[in-house]
Amino acid sequence: MALLEARGLSKWFTPERPAVADAGITVQSGQTVGVVGESGSGKTTTARMILGLVRPDSGSIQFDGVDLLAAGRAERRALRARLQLVPQQPRSSLNPRLTVGASIEFNLRAHGWARADRRKRVAETLDAVGLPPVFRSRYPSELSGGQIQRVAIARALATEPRLVVCDEAVSALDKSVQAQVLNLLVRLQAELGVSFLFISHDLRAVEHISDEVAVMYRGRVVERGATSSIVQSPAHPYTQLLIDSIPGSRRPNGPRQPPSQVL
């Protein structure tokens, strides 16, 4: 059984066209799946539906054997420890008045961890993301972009989740720091066995981290499969556009099509 199985997800915010239309995402245990597409493609809305932040107009979501759309409030609350988020703007998601250690402990306390276990877990997660113990007492304003992103990852991992959704988790970082954070996620996935749903507009980042990829365009998943196969032999014109837009791309394919002709 898949860890996450989302089928037929649709969401309308305006009557003109759906934000997401009949989208499906599957993540196996211990797997990283990338969802790539331009701004407005529906990838973040899809992620928010999976996280329970937006309710789909239609479709189904099974996570860890539980029907998320049918689950009651108490059951969904219990599941949150196993389904965590690394947001696009982690600095704004952290309370500036709390130290790094207190922010991570706050997440643990919300999920019922005892005080002694919380302090130990903070130390473990900071070490896992490559931050020394001194960072426990630092405030968000004292951290660089790369450091704050590592804190966000540590906070997400603290509750020992089975799946972490990374929503544009490296888009605000410069290229060298992006590479460091991507390599960190790859290492954590290998060491901890945690699964990632990696949302990004950057196909290069998705290619680096993902076992499989789903390509979204105008609210629909237009192509999905093993990352290497998608990158080497894209079947959909929009996927071809994404690959051709990568600097240095040498894909020997036919002429490009403008986005208006993709669907």
Side-chain angles (χ1 to χ4, degrees):
M1 178 186 295
L3 176 62
L4 172 72
E5 183 74 40
R7 297 181 178 179
L9 294 182
S10 295
K11 185 65 184 180
W12 295 76
F13 293 116
T14 65
E16 287 75 21
R17 70 177 179 90
V20 177
D22 196 30
I25 302 291
T26 300
V27 182
Q28 302 293 338
S29 181
Q31 183 184 50
T32 297
V33 173
V35 180
V36 64
E38 63 192 358
S39 178
S41 63
K43 57 188 188 299
T44 292
T45 299
T46 299
R48 288 174 62 82
M49 287 190 282
I50 290 169
L51 288 163
L53 302 175
V54 172
R55 189 168 183 86
D57 294 323
S58 62
S60 64
I61 306 171
Q62 293 277 338
F63 172 68
D64 211 5
V66 177
D67 183 343
L68 291 186
L69 300 182
R73 179 178 298 179
E75 192 172 18
R76 289 198 305 270
R77 181 179 177 83
L79 281 172
R80 289 194 189 110
R82 289 180 273 164
L83 179 59
Q84 289 283 299
L85 169 68
V86 177
Q88 181 176 2
Q89 299 292 341
R91 192 179 299 275
S92 62
S93 73
L94 294 172
N95 187 331
R97 297 180 180 179
L98 293 181
T99 63
V100 165
S103 290
I104 298 174
E105 280 202 50
F106 183 87
N107 193 25
L108 291 167
R109 185 167 65 250
H111 293 288
W113 285 59
R115 177 178 299 213
D117 294 333
R118 294 199 303 263
R119 292 188 62 82
K120 179 182 177 182
R121 187 60 181 157
V122 169
E124 291 173 345
T125 54
L126 288 178
D127 180 67
V129 300
L131 294 176
V134 67
F135 276 81
R136 178 196 289 268
S137 60
R138 291 188 179 175
Y139 289 88
S141 61
E142 301 177 278
L143 306 181
S144 68
Q147 290 167 344
I148 203 77
Q149 194 62 280
R150 289 173 185 263
V151 170
I153 294 168
R155 183 179 59 172
L157 292 175
T159 60
E160 300 179 331
R162 298 203 64 197
L163 177 65
V164 175
V165 178
C166 299
D167 185 14
E168 295 283 6
V170 299
S171 63
L173 306 175
D174 63 45
K175 295 301 180 183
S176 63
V177 179
Q178 276 189 18
Q180 294 171 16
V181 173
L182 289 172
N183 289 334
L184 170 65
L185 293 174
V186 170
R187 176 174 64 78
L188 290 170
Q189 193 276 330
E191 292 178 354
L192 304 177
V194 63
S195 299
F196 289 107
L197 184 62
F198 186 80
I199 313 294
S200 180
H201 67 276
D202 187 345
L203 184 57
R204 288 173 296 183
V206 169
E207 180 183 7
H208 182 83
I209 195 174
S210 303
D211 302 301
E212 294 187 1
V213 62
V215 180
M216 293 196 71
Y217 180 70
R218 293 187 176 180
R220 299 181 183 273
V221 175
V222 296
E223 188 166 4
R224 75 186 77 188
T227 304
S228 58
S229 297
I230 297 292
V231 172
Q232 293 170 13
S233 302
H236 195 275
Y238 179 67
T239 311
Q240 296 171 9
L241 282 172
L242 288 177
I243 294 172
D244 288 345
S245 69
I246 297 175
S249 173
R250 295 292 186 270
R251 184 185 58 81
N253 255 339
R256 301 180 183 184
Q257 290 179 295
S260 61
Q261 297 179 19
V262 168
L263 288 180

